[in-house]
């Protein structure tokens, strides 16, 4: 049989087809309802070819859902949230949100900067929490870019005006979510400013690896936190300034430990203050270097999530204030211990503790906080 002569143009096209990888992940924009005032909210869904998808929305640059397979290949949404954008504002729990300008608490909402004392909005007892009454989580962000390809991504953008919430300087912030073939959600926060200010952004997703509408909570999950120390707090959950070793305390998660085994240990003043775990862990290794912070495993589904970041600290919150009054997706009631929050970030109240990693941001600098949420299944 005589061979067919392939001309140069045909050969080039054939080689190009072979060389170009198939699109591994798609990004799709769509409407996601409206707020009470009529403001339309967009959502962007990232989907890969390994059974994982994540939907984010412009309100709060938030993770609205994230579906991954279990050990049997069955997919489930593993983040808590609501079915409509209006519910996120009507019953705020920071579900999936980008929190800032300053994630976590600032003592009495006050901090010094260049000889001036600033007063922030108070919204958590005597303190300021997650940027105040109208933090980044309650703002509608611009959808700045959406891309499909080997990695799918969406970038949201928000400009925070000078004086917003009491913070100095106009800050331009971005939140980028990306998903490739590796079933890992990459989240990168960046910010610039036109005047000296403070910035500390993080993600506040609530994770239930059994499924967001599961009847199973998270207290039986096995948790590892790669931290030899944590920052104890006062009765209003403000760090005392001490860096305390976790050894011999209920905060020692250096080996896989069932979360519920010690969460009700009333002999721990710290657990009494937080109604459970709501504390910053000082992650081992060099801050500024991407490293594993935590690993959580749900034995029922076999799902595993690892948290990676270059941030110095990880706030671990065990869902202590979900009191059964919150109706989430599918009218599912969320109760105490139903989900876990892992926030890579600077230490709480950092502007009032010179020995803590600095939250200061000056003009000409770029604040960056990158984190990865890696999903897999445990070996049987």
């Amino acid at each position: 049989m005589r061979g067919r002569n392939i001309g140069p143009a045909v050969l080039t096209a054939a080689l190009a087809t072979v060389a170009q990888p198939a699109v591994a992940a798609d990004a799709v924009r769509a409407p996601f309802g409206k707020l009470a005032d009529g403001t339309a909210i967009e959502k962007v869904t990232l989907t890969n070819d390994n059974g994982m998808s994540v939907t984010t929305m412009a309100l709060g640059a938030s993770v609205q859902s994230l579906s991954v397979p279990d050990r049997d290949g069955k997919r489930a949404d593993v983040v808590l949230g609501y079915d409509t954008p209006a519910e996120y504002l009507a019953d705020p729990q920071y579900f999936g949100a980008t929190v800032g300008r300053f994630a976590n608490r600032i003592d009495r909402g006050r901090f010094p900067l260049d000889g001036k004392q600033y007063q922030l909005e108070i919204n958590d007892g005597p303190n300021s929490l997650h940027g105040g009454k109208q933090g980044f989580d309650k703002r509608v962000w611009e959808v700045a870019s959406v891309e499909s390809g080997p990695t799918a991504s969406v970038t949201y953008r928000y400009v925070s005006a000078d004086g917003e919430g009491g913070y100095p300087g106009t800050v331009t912030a971005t939140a980028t979510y990306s998903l490739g073939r590796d079933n890992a959600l990459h989240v990168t926060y960046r910010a610039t400013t036109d005047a000296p200010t403070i910035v500390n952004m993080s993600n506040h997703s609530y994770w239930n690896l059994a499924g967001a509408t599961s009847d199973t909570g998270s207290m039986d999950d096995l948790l590892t936190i790669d931290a030899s120390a944590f920052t104890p707090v006062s009765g209003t959950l403000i760090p005392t300034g001490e860096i305390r070793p976790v050894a011999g305390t209920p905060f020692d998660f250096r080996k896989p430990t069932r979360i519920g085994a010690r969460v009700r240990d009333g002999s721990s003043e710290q657990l009494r203050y937080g109604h459970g775990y709501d504390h910053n862990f000082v992650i081992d290794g060099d801050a500024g270097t991407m490293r594993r912070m935590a690993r959580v495993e749900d034995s029922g589904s076999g799902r595993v999530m690892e948290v990676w970041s270059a941030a110095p600290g990880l706030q671990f919150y065990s869902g202590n204030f979900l009191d059964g009054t919150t109706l989430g997706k599918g009218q599912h009631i969320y109760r105490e211990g139903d989900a876990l929050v892992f926030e890579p970030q600077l230490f709480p109240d950092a502007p009032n503790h010179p020995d803590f990693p600095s939250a200061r941001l000056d003009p000409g600098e770029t604040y960056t906080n990158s984190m990865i949420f890696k999903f897999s299944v445990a070996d049987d």
Side-chain angles (χ1 to χ4, degrees):
M1 181 177 177
R2 297 178 63 186
R4 183 165 62 96
N5 184 32
I6 301 177
V10 176
L11 180 60
T12 299
L15 290 174
T17 300
V18 172
Q20 293 295 323
V23 173
D26 291 324
V28 178
R29 295 175 72 162
F32 183 58
K34 297 181 179 180
L35 299 179
D37 65 1
T39 302
I41 303 299
E42 277 196 284
K43 66 178 180 180
V44 178
T45 299
L46 313 177
T47 306
N48 70 12
D49 52 11
N50 283 332
M52 178 173 169
S53 66
V54 55
T55 296
T56 63
M57 66 170 175
L59 177 61
S62 303
V63 176
Q64 198 277 326
S65 69
L66 189 149
S67 295
V68 288
D70 64 8
R71 64 163 59 92
D72 298 319
K74 182 180 179 181
R75 296 177 60 195
D77 180 6
V78 297
V79 295
L80 273 56
Y82 300 107
D83 292 320
T84 66
E87 291 174 285
Y88 283 85
L89 293 184
D91 186 22
Q93 294 283 354
Y94 304 102
F95 286 146
T98 293
V99 285
R101 284 188 197 189
F102 193 93
N104 222 307
R105 295 174 176 86
I106 292 182
D107 186 21
R108 295 169 295 164
R110 301 173 187 169
F111 70 93
L113 185 67
D114 292 340
K116 181 177 179 180
Q117 190 81 3
Y118 289 90
Q119 179 64 61
L120 307 176
E121 294 175 347
I122 302 300
N123 64 325
D124 181 63
N127 304 317
S128 182
L129 174 66
H130 297 326
K133 298 176 181 178
Q134 295 291 321
F136 285 1
D137 61 295
K138 298 175 183 67
R139 305 292 179 171
V140 179
W141 295 52
E142 170 196 359
V143 181
S145 68
V146 177
E147 297 183 6
S148 298
T151 298
S153 68
V154 55
T155 296
Y156 296 97
R157 180 177 181 270
Y158 176 68
V159 179
S160 176
D162 178 32
E164 184 176 281
Y167 291 89
T170 298
V171 165
T172 300
T174 60
T176 299
Y177 296 96
S178 60
L179 175 66
R181 278 197 170 106
D182 57 354
N183 277 16
L185 174 64
H186 294 245
V187 184
T188 301
Y189 295 115
R190 293 187 176 90
T192 57
T193 182
D194 65 355
T197 190
I198 59 170
V199 174
N200 180 33
M201 299 168 62
S202 193
N203 183 268
H204 205 281
S205 291
Y206 287 70
W207 306 97
N208 182 346
L209 297 185
T213 58
S214 169
D215 292 332
T216 302
S218 298
M219 290 299 98
D220 285 333
D221 288 359
L222 290 175
L223 174 63
T224 305
I225 299 179
D226 300 315
S228 300
F230 75 108
T231 53
V233 297
S234 68
T236 61
L237 301 182
I238 295 295
T240 63
E242 177 188 0
I243 304 294
R244 182 180 298 177
V246 299
T249 78
F251 293 81
D252 191 349
F253 286 97
R254 290 175 294 177
K255 295 180 180 179
T257 302
R258 189 173 67 87
I259 297 167
R262 300 177 305 202
V263 73
R264 300 185 188 279
D265 182 357
S267 66
S268 169
E269 182 181 60
Q270 289 298 304
L271 290 178
R272 297 200 305 270
Y273 285 160
H275 297 193
Y277 296 103
D278 193 5
H279 294 75
N280 170 64
F281 286 74
V282 182
I283 299 301
D284 295 341
D286 295 330
T289 301
M290 185 66 70
R291 65 215 187 280
R292 194 185 78 166
M293 293 188 154
R295 179 187 187 274
V296 60
E297 176 182 338
D298 173 60
S299 59
S301 67
R303 293 187 182 93
V304 174
M305 183 180 76
E306 290 186 354
V307 182
W308 290 64
S309 179
L314 177 72
Q315 184 81 8
F316 168 50
Y317 168 54
S318 53
N320 318 320
F321 299 105
L322 297 174
D323 61 2
T325 62
T326 297
L327 295 178
K329 298 172 184 176
Q331 295 295 287
H332 188 78
I333 296 175
Y334 296 142
R335 300 190 62 86
E336 181 181 3
D338 273 356
L340 311 171
V341 179
F342 299 95
E343 303 166 74
Q345 57 183 260
L346 300 172
F347 297 174
D349 200 34
N352 293 310
H353 296 270
D355 293 339
F356 285 0
S358 176
R360 182 186 180 109
L361 181 67
D362 287 311
E365 299 176 342
T366 299
Y367 164 89
T368 303
N369 186 12
S370 296
M371 60 201 71
I372 307 171
F373 299 93
K374 298 182 178 182
F375 295 90
S376 61
V377 293
D379 296 332
D380 291 333

